[in-house]
Amino acid sequence: MPDADALQTMPCFQLKGANVPLTALELRYFEVEAFEETLRDKIRQAPGFFRDIPLVVDLSRYKGPSSELDFFQLIGICRRHSMHVVAVRGGDEDQQRLARNASLALLPASSRPESPAGPDQETASQDTPSPEPTAEAARPVEQEQTVPAESRLITQPVRSGQQIYAPDGDLIILAPVQAGAEVLAAGNIHVYGPLRGRALAGVHGRHTARVFCQSLEAELVSIAGHYKISEDLQEKGWKAPAQIQLKENVLAVSPLA
């Protein structure tokens, strides 16, 4: 530990950019009882997944009047369920003023709707027409090449309570992922062993991300915000080599050839 003189000469802190996965709560309207009941339902589906996560309230599809948007009540409900609202994204001037009064950070509106995190697999395309394909969108291979490819390699077992994160590329694990562990990646996740914990690929919204494992025994698998819990995963490919990907905004499990 540095001595007192050294401490006085060094700065107290440094500010650095960070890639931190956040969960967006896409709010359609706010009514206290309906909000809390919906939140309880989501948590019952995957209790451990939502504990102590940071939330961003996305107002891009909010339809209710601003006068009913009580951020203090919303924050309080989330805290009672061990979820923490840290910011608001989008919204008009009145809504942003209410967010500031509740000491929430303001983030710019998303360039495109988020896919909701939920087993019902509801998607933005059900309410919003898909844009016409452009020349840029017609070159998926070229777009794929722009994704950062800084993979992270883990050679030891990922034990219960551990969290391993690859913020810029794929996560490759040459060992088992134990129950109670969590692995996250901006790109794909490869587990060369049993996957028993939670695996979240495409955490920044990359819908082409996939999860590969030698034995699918996961508590939860998520890709770009869509997730399935173990009860759903057991319907196909359970305890066998498998890959999980998004097909038409639904998580699909298929054998690993």
Side-chain angles (χ1 to χ4, degrees):
M1 179 176 178
D3 58 31
D5 292 336
L7 284 174
Q8 290 178 356
T9 60
M10 68 173 59
C12 293
F13 63 87
Q14 291 182 333
L15 294 175
K16 296 183 177 181
N19 290 318
V20 179
L22 297 173
T23 297
L25 189 155
E26 190 179 76
L27 194 65
R28 310 297 177 81
Y29 70 95
F30 182 69
E31 194 280 321
V32 173
E33 293 183 2
F35 180 86
E36 186 156 19
E37 182 58 32
T38 303
L39 195 63
R40 286 197 191 101
D41 287 342
K42 290 288 185 184
I43 292 171
R44 277 195 290 264
Q45 293 166 6
F49 178 62
F50 293 109
R51 181 172 296 278
D52 292 327
I53 64 169
L55 289 176
V56 174
V57 178
D58 187 342
L59 297 177
S60 60
R61 301 177 71 190
Y62 183 75
K63 303 299 183 184
S66 295
S67 59
E68 295 180 0
L69 188 51
D70 189 332
F71 282 112
F72 290 100
Q73 284 192 312
L74 188 152
I75 292 168
I77 293 170
C78 290
R79 283 181 178 172
R80 285 201 296 273
H81 296 279
S82 300
M83 302 168 75
H84 308 281
V85 180
V86 297
V88 164
R89 182 165 65 189
D92 58 28
E93 291 184 2
D94 287 339
Q95 293 162 355
Q96 292 182 357
R97 175 179 53 79
L98 293 171
R100 286 194 196 96
N101 291 341
S103 300
L104 296 175
L106 299 180
L107 301 179
S110 176
S111 59
R112 62 180 178 84
E114 293 283 340
S115 295
D120 51 6
Q121 307 300 337
E122 180 188 4
T123 65
S125 62
Q126 291 173 326
D127 297 322
T128 307
S130 299
E132 290 296 321
T134 63
E136 188 68 23
R139 298 197 298 271
V141 174
E142 293 182 10
Q143 286 187 338
E144 189 73 14
Q145 291 173 346
T146 65
V147 176
E150 298 180 10
S151 299
R152 183 176 181 185
L153 177 66
I154 303 296
T155 60
Q156 300 295 322
V158 184
R159 304 194 182 282
S160 179
Q162 284 187 296
Q163 183 187 78
I164 305 295
Y165 179 35
D168 299 310
D170 290 1
L171 178 59
I172 304 168
I173 302 171
L174 305 180
V177 176
Q178 303 292 358
E182 187 172 75
V183 293
L184 308 92
N188 305 308
I189 294 176
H190 307 257
V191 181
Y192 291 91
L195 170 58
R196 300 190 179 100
R198 297 183 293 273
L200 293 82
V203 294
H204 301 317
R206 182 179 167 191
H207 286 68
T208 56
R210 300 188 185 192
V211 175
F212 305 89
C213 60
Q214 291 298 313
S215 180
L216 179 60
E217 306 171 36
E219 299 166 357
L220 178 145
V221 172
S222 170
I223 296 176
H226 297 263
Y227 69 80
K228 282 188 176 183
I229 57 177
S230 60
E231 288 82 355
D232 302 319
L233 294 169
Q234 290 178 30
E235 295 175 359
K236 186 176 182 181
W238 190 247
K239 292 190 176 182
Q243 64 170 316
I244 303 97
Q245 61 185 308
L246 275 177
K247 290 185 177 179
E248 297 180 354
N249 293 306
V250 176
L251 244 61
V253 180
S254 57
L256 198 58

